[in-house]
Amino acid sequence: MMSDTTSAWSDQHEVCLEQLHSMMTGQQKTVQQAANLLKKITRDEDLIDEVVAKHLEIAAKIQTHGGPTVFDANGKEDPWYTGPQEGDKFWPALRTSLEADQRWAPAVPSLDKTSTDVLSRLGNPTSDRITTRGLVLGYVQSGKTANFTATITKAADAGYRLFIVLSGVHNSLRRQTQQRLENQITRLNPVDWATLTTEFADFGNPVQGLPMLAGSQLRLLAVVKKNVTRLSNLLTWLTKANESGGLANCPILIIDDEADQATPNSSKNPDLDRTKIHEKIVELLKFPKVAYLGYTATPFANILSNPADPFGIYPRSFIYSLPRPAGYFGAEELFGAAVPEENATADQQPHDMIRHISWEEAGAYKVKAKQPYTPLVTKSLADAVRWFIMATAARRFRQGHADHSSMLIHTTMRVQPQLDMIPVIQKFVRSLSTEWASGNVQPWRAQWETEIEAEPASRHGLAPVSFEEMSTGVTGVLSRIHVLADNGSSSERLLYTADPATVIAIGGNTLSRGLTLEGLVSSFFLRESRNYDSTLQMGRWFGYRPGYADLPRIWTSKDLASDFEFLSDVEYSIRSDISRYSGGVATPRELAVRIQLHPKLKITSALKMYYAVRATSSYSEQRPQTIHFSHRNAEIALHNRRATDLLLRDALKYGYPNRDGRASLLVNKVPVDVISAFLEEYEFHPSSEMSDDTLLGYIKEQNAFGSLLEWNVAVAGLQRNSQSLGTVSLNGADYNLINRARLKNGSDESTAYIKALMSPADLILDMPNASEIGAQKNAREMRNECAVPLLLIYPISKDSVPESSSKAREPLDAVEHQIGLGLSLPAAAPDSEPKDMVQVDLSRVTANAGSNDELDEDYVYEDTEGSHNELNLDAD
């Protein structure tokens, strides 16, 4: 029986859509398999086709919102995730739990959105193969764990079955992560989960889990330390499962927490060798259905990994930047927002929370090899400890109860001096207890009143606490202070149990990454690092300070404070670069993230920068091209044709025609004013990388350096007329139209996505001796050696059709012929580019473009053996 109407969305459509989703998640059916089954049940093919179309429409909107389209190893993948569904178990349970907790309830809407964004970018669990490589960038101590917890629950609802969380290199972080995931996931639906690790047991040999993989719908969770032995155990277990067929229908999601630590390949020659932990993780990624998702606040090593390694961890599929959470205490609070000072609002001004330690005083904490070290409490450390006590007492007075409260002392990486500091701090706390009990409170009052005047509570929307009010809790705080060192040799580790802790923690590499210091209000920090990532990770004072955002204080040197301020600008710059991926315009293997250089610090270890090169500015040696078209908008199409008429008219007026038979029209030495006027007039699709003023701004900047002043302009039409494609008149001359069919994926009713416009041969249309040179060099090499910019005009037939063998494309079906643009820009003028930036070398990854057949191919990896040029990134 056929439906009476196929145009209006009905209750029957809604029921079928729910059935479609149920089959996909519960029975691991692809959308087509589920649709075929529903057609047999309903016997209404039109109805089911409309339901499938609706599913794809919803999924496409989710997948491209705020970030790039998902790519797998073979190209762009069908949108598949349509968000949480009515029958889901795991995300609703977590959401309900979080909404019941006043600390988490305000964050739930953002957490819901961002976890949906992330999951939509992963591979479809019903696919035969999953090869996603993604990276999620968060802020230090900003809730990255919360995001991947929510992502796991939604992935479990959507059909992923095995979840492996690689949780740093320290037991303390692994235990903390295990506890949290058990509390927020497995214990909320205990009958649906099997845990392969526990708080006290890392991955061993849980052979009993193999049957669960093969024939059960249980979800499995393992939290594994990045350790060679543990990863080897995991690989052995998965290999057995795969041999027995247990992984055939078991989509795996690997969450790599602190993904820049231990995971990247840091061998001396990464083209030939892999470090042990990296090798083990790569082996994990070779199983048939594995999505890899890295999480970090310091992505430098990840975005500088080998982009051409098909088995590596370079985030070729996507990089997703988590938004700055509401209530987050971070670099903006300490250093102000990344906007010009004259434009900053009052809320964007830096907070007065950093106290500088003099050079002489800092020298007292320097540990020198083979020299005795006698720890002491200097004036600044005394102020920091006293402040910790008062801030803890004030916080507890304000909220009416005790919560965890912490102080961090981090002066050296050496273990023994950290242990030696424990009795010194304990003795000083006892002396403070005696001082307070004796009534000698004047030093306390003076410090309190100075601090609350410097950073008023009212600026944070909080009620001020007087010295007398704060004083009511000092004795109780003093009696509960526990001093410990957390490092590789300490007998005691920092653990936050149900009882509120009042702890002074002396660190410790174990305290410098991943592990959260609960209620951190005072930091005494002098530990120096040469690298961006290590320095940022050691800034444990970032995080959430609900109800006490006025109380955190940091004692450090001026130099270290300056380093952290610079790194806050680096963070802002990286996130700005990542925003260029939004809307599916580009992916990380087409457009590299650039990183600013510092005169003293290094970005990451030298071994992790093997593939780094000096960054180019936006369009130096770039080939921007129009690959999105508003093909249903006749007004835009005709407007662009008129703009092209004017371009060719003026080009021929000022330039020199050159007809050598390889281009439909070639004009040399066209003044830049003609080019700029045309680019300003041409209406780009909103998704185009040229849709804003960046390109015009770049051209103007280069003109100031005497570059890009004269251009070659070519019309790249077909050499012979095709009756099926036709011709178009431009500036009074007829040009043969070219064929560019649109891809099914990425196109919709208002947008045609063609993936690539330019062919490699087009890059040398303006070179008269190209045929002679071409025997020794390819077109890209030849173009890169040419100092003249080239503007290519592509007249595209509205009747373009795919090759008969293509399944990925469909007719362009445009209302008017389209004008596409391709630019080939030379290297930027000397000294015109930002010399203080690096990026990964994307020349190792090249796109095939040309005929429709070639365009349907995705990326090929070049053989770059021996092509690497050493890059000296040491500071001058």
Side-chain angles (χ1 to χ4, degrees), residues 844-848 857-862:
R844 292 172 166 256
V845 182
T846 183
N848 270 349
E857 297 292 327
D858 195 21
Y859 291 86
V860 298
Y861 297 101
E862 290 183 329

Side-chain angles (χ1 to χ4, degrees), residues 628-823:
H628 294 87
F629 295 90
S630 300
H631 65 305
R632 300 294 190 192
N633 192 316
E635 183 179 346
I636 291 176
L638 294 174
H639 172 87
N640 286 342
R641 278 163 59 181
R642 287 193 294 270
T644 306
D645 285 338
L646 294 176
L647 167 70
L648 297 180
R649 183 199 68 185
D650 292 342
L652 289 166
K653 183 188 300 182
Y654 297 106
Y656 299 87
N658 182 344
R659 298 181 181 273
D660 67 352
R662 290 185 298 111
S664 297
L665 173 67
L666 174 63
V667 186
N668 299 121
K669 296 187 177 183
V670 178
V672 66
D673 291 346
V674 174
I675 304 298
S676 296
F678 170 68
L679 293 176
E680 193 166 9
E681 185 65 17
Y682 184 94
E683 188 164 346
F684 292 94
H685 189 277
S687 295
S688 171
E689 63 181 297
M690 297 178 279
S691 61
D692 57 19
D693 293 329
T694 306
L695 176 59
L696 284 167
Y698 174 78
I699 293 172
K700 185 176 180 180
E701 290 170 2
Q702 290 297 303
N703 292 165
F705 286 85
S707 182
L708 306 186
L709 295 175
E710 289 186 336
W711 291 61
N712 292 341
V713 176
V715 178
L718 291 180
Q719 292 298 303
R720 287 177 294 187
N721 177 260
S722 167
Q723 289 187 349
S724 61
L725 296 175
T727 62
V728 65
S729 176
L730 297 172
N731 190 38
D734 290 336
Y735 293 89
N736 297 329
L737 292 159
I738 67 169
N739 190 64
R740 287 295 185 268
R742 62 176 181 161
L743 268 78
K744 295 176 181 177
N745 296 329
S747 300
D748 56 35
E749 282 304 308
S750 61
T751 298
Y753 170 71
I754 65 171
K755 189 173 183 179
L757 176 67
M758 302 168 68
S759 298
D762 297 342
L763 300 178
I764 51 177
L765 280 177
D766 57 337
M767 296 184 183
N769 58 341
S771 58
E772 292 83 20
I773 303 175
Q776 290 80 33
K777 299 179 180 180
N778 65 38
R780 285 185 174 82
E781 289 176 313
M782 294 166 65
R783 191 76 238 173
N784 287 344
E785 294 175 2
C786 178
V788 181
L790 172 66
L791 172 62
L792 290 159
I793 307 297
Y794 290 86
I796 302 171
S797 173
K798 64 184 178 65
D799 300 315
S800 294
V801 294
E803 299 287 340
S804 58
S805 60
S806 176
K807 297 180 180 179
R809 293 180 180 270
E810 57 188 4
L812 182 61
D813 196 22
V815 293
E816 291 286 349
H817 300 312
Q818 305 291 310
I819 299 295
L821 304 184
L823 288 83

Side-chain angles (χ1 to χ4, degrees), residues 542-560:
F542 299 131
Y544 297 92
R545 304 291 181 261
Y548 62 105
D550 58 327
L551 298 178
R553 297 291 185 274
I554 302 157
W555 280 260
T556 190
S557 68
K558 284 187 177 180
D559 285 347
L560 278 169

Side-chain angles (χ1 to χ4, degrees), residues 34 43 125 154 243 272 278 317 408 429 508 561 596 638 818 832 839:
R43 297 183 181 180
K154 290 183 178 179
E243 290 171 351
L272 301 176
H278 174 77
S317 304
L408 171 66
V429 170
Q596 297 179 48
L638 294 174
Q818 305 291 310
S832 68
Q839 66 183 49

Side-chain angles (χ1 to χ4, degrees), residues 523-687:
S523 299
F524 186 83
F525 186 84
L526 288 171
R527 164 79 183 279
E528 294 182 349
S529 172
R530 298 179 64 192
N531 297 337
Y532 291 13
D533 43 14
S534 300
T535 301
L536 273 173
Q537 287 289 348
M538 289 189 294
R540 310 315 294 169
W541 43 80
F542 299 131
Y544 297 92
R545 304 291 181 261
Y548 62 105
D550 58 327
L551 298 178
R553 297 291 185 274
I554 302 157
W555 280 260
T556 190
S557 68
K558 284 187 177 180
D559 285 347
L560 278 169
S562 177
D563 290 346
F564 276 104
E565 183 168 10
F566 170 80
L567 292 175
S568 71
D569 291 339
V570 171
E571 285 190 292
Y572 179 83
S573 173
I574 285 175
R575 286 180 169 82
S576 296
D577 258 19
I578 291 172
S579 70
R580 297 181 298 165
Y581 301 136
S582 63
V585 174
T587 67
R589 56 184 172 184
E590 299 168 311
L591 198 62
V593 176
R594 298 165 294 184
I595 308 170
Q596 297 179 48
L597 288 173
H598 187 274
K600 183 181 68 174
L601 299 175
K602 296 179 183 295
I603 294 173
T604 185
S605 71
L607 293 176
K608 295 178 182 177
M609 296 186 65
Y610 185 86
Y611 300 102
V613 294
R614 292 284 181 177
T616 60
S617 53
S618 299
Y619 294 99
S620 176
E621 294 188 339
Q622 298 297 304
R623 317 282 181 251
Q625 55 186 311
T626 50
I627 56 176
H628 294 87
F629 295 90
S630 300
H631 65 305
R632 300 294 190 192
N633 192 316
E635 183 179 346
I636 291 176
L638 294 174
H639 172 87
N640 286 342
R641 278 163 59 181
R642 287 193 294 270
T644 306
D645 285 338
L646 294 176
L647 167 70
L648 297 180
R649 183 199 68 185
D650 292 342
L652 289 166
K653 183 188 300 182
Y654 297 106
Y656 299 87
N658 182 344
R659 298 181 181 273
D660 67 352
R662 290 185 298 111
S664 297
L665 173 67
L666 174 63
V667 186
N668 299 121
K669 296 187 177 183
V670 178
V672 66
D673 291 346
V674 174
I675 304 298
S676 296
F678 170 68
L679 293 176
E680 193 166 9
E681 185 65 17
Y682 184 94
E683 188 164 346
F684 292 94
H685 189 277
S687 295

